[in-house]
């Protein structure tokens, strides 16, 4: 059963520490998204990639966040240094876009819950 | 700019009762529309989608949704709710980017509670 895999599931860290979250998209999917979910803001897009190229990272605080896709099977989201306001659940999602018969739905991982003390 | 509004933050229904969750969108062209469900501690699971054709779409778990262009709405319905339907429901619109999929823009969600 194909699924998006995220690690770690839970992370507790102290302010100022570096945090790296990883995502393995579904094999063959060419778009990868990072979303952040908080009670106050709901689901916010942080960044997304198509064919490993970053297309939009306007939702990310550039001074501390970075997102990369070193290869087609791995996407990373890094926070350095982390701050308490970064506490949230971070979701990775992948999809096939809307070309051809594809209709743009995204498949979500189970999320990485980050707590910054 | 594209946006999605889910006017109800929290809804409680009795088990066996019918359900309708509201969703209104703002989008300049024919939208791709989705409903997702999220159980506690889980990711989002696709319930159903609309991209063209029949405006009444069927999804998993007995859910359906109707696209009404004149009202910019895509409301989710279920004729008889089960206790296991208690979860948070998100409506989303797909934003085009250069002719193909951009990201999904999500509403704030509606939390559904089910009374025995």
């Amino acid at each position: 059963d194909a699924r998006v895999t995220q690690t770690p599931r839970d992370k507790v860290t102290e302010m100022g520490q570096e945090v790296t979250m990883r995502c393995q998209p579904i094999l063959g999917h060419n778009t990868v998204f990072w979303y952040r979910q908080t009670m106050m803001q709901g689901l916010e897009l942080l960044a997304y990639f198509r064919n490993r190229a970053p297309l939009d990272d306007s939702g990310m605080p550039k001074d501390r966040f970075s997102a990369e896709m070193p290869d087609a099977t791995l996407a990373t989201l890094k926070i350095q240094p982390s701050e308490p306001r970064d506490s949230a659940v971070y979701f990775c999602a992948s999809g096939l876009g809307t070309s051809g018969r594809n209709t743009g739905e995204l498949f979500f991982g189970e999320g990485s819950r980050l707590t910054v003390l | 700019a594209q946006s999605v509004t889910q006017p109800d933050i929290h809804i409680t229904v009795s088990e066996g009762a019918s359900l309708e969750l509201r969703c209104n969108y703002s989008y300049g062209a024919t939208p791709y529309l989705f409903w997702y469900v999220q159980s506690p501690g889980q990711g989002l699971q696709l319930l159903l989608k609309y991209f063209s054709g029949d405006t009444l779409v069927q999804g998993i778990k007995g859910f359906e949704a109707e696209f009404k262009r004149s009202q910019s709405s895509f409301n989710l319905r279920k004729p008889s709710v089960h206790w296991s339907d208690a979860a948070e429901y998100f409506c989303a619109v797909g934003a085009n980017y250069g002719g193909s999929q951009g990201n999904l823009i999500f509403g704030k969600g509606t939390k559904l509670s089910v009374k025995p």
Side-chain angles (χ1 to χ4, degrees), chain B residues 13-95:
Chain B
V13 300
S14 298
E15 191 168 16
S18 63
L19 171 71
E20 182 169 28
L21 301 183
R22 295 182 291 165
C23 171
N24 292 97
Y25 67 89
S26 172
Y27 190 69
T30 300
Y32 293 74
L33 293 162
F34 306 84
W35 275 99
Y36 282 83
V37 60
Q38 184 181 30
S39 298
Q42 302 295 313
L44 280 73
Q45 180 186 19
L46 180 69
L47 281 177
L48 48 77
K49 62 189 177 189
Y50 169 82
F51 58 99
S52 68
D54 194 347
T55 56
L56 183 63
V57 293
Q58 304 295 321
I60 62 171
K61 305 185 181 186
F63 286 92
E64 65 178 27
E66 186 171 13
F67 169 60
K68 293 185 177 180
R69 185 187 301 276
S70 61
Q71 298 176 20
S72 297
S73 69
F74 189 56
N75 294 349
L76 182 71
R77 301 194 294 248
K78 187 169 184 177
S80 177
V81 169
H82 189 262
W83 65 266
S84 60
D85 294 324
E88 190 153 19
Y89 292 79
F90 293 90
C91 182
V93 62

Side-chain angles (χ1 to χ4, degrees), chain A residues 20-93:
Chain A
T20 299
M21 289 167 275
R22 293 176 173 80
C23 167
Q24 181 176 5
I26 292 174
L27 188 65
H29 282 188
N30 63 346
T31 59
V32 174
F33 298 76
W34 284 104
Y35 285 90
R36 174 170 63 184
Q37 185 178 39
T38 60
M39 290 290 291
M40 293 300 295
Q41 300 298 325
L43 279 158
E44 303 173 279
L45 177 71
L46 295 176
Y48 83 94
F49 297 79
R50 185 189 302 149
N51 297 324
R52 295 177 55 202
L55 286 192
D56 187 350
D57 61 1
S58 59
M60 247 174 21
K62 299 292 192 302
D63 56 338
R64 299 185 298 109
F65 284 59
S66 61
E68 296 180 345
M69 278 200 75
D71 61 60
T73 65
L74 176 65
T76 63
L77 180 66
K78 187 178 295 186
I79 308 174
Q80 167 64 20
S82 58
E83 297 180 2
R85 60 181 166 152
D86 301 329
S87 298
V89 181
Y90 291 81
F91 286 101
C92 177

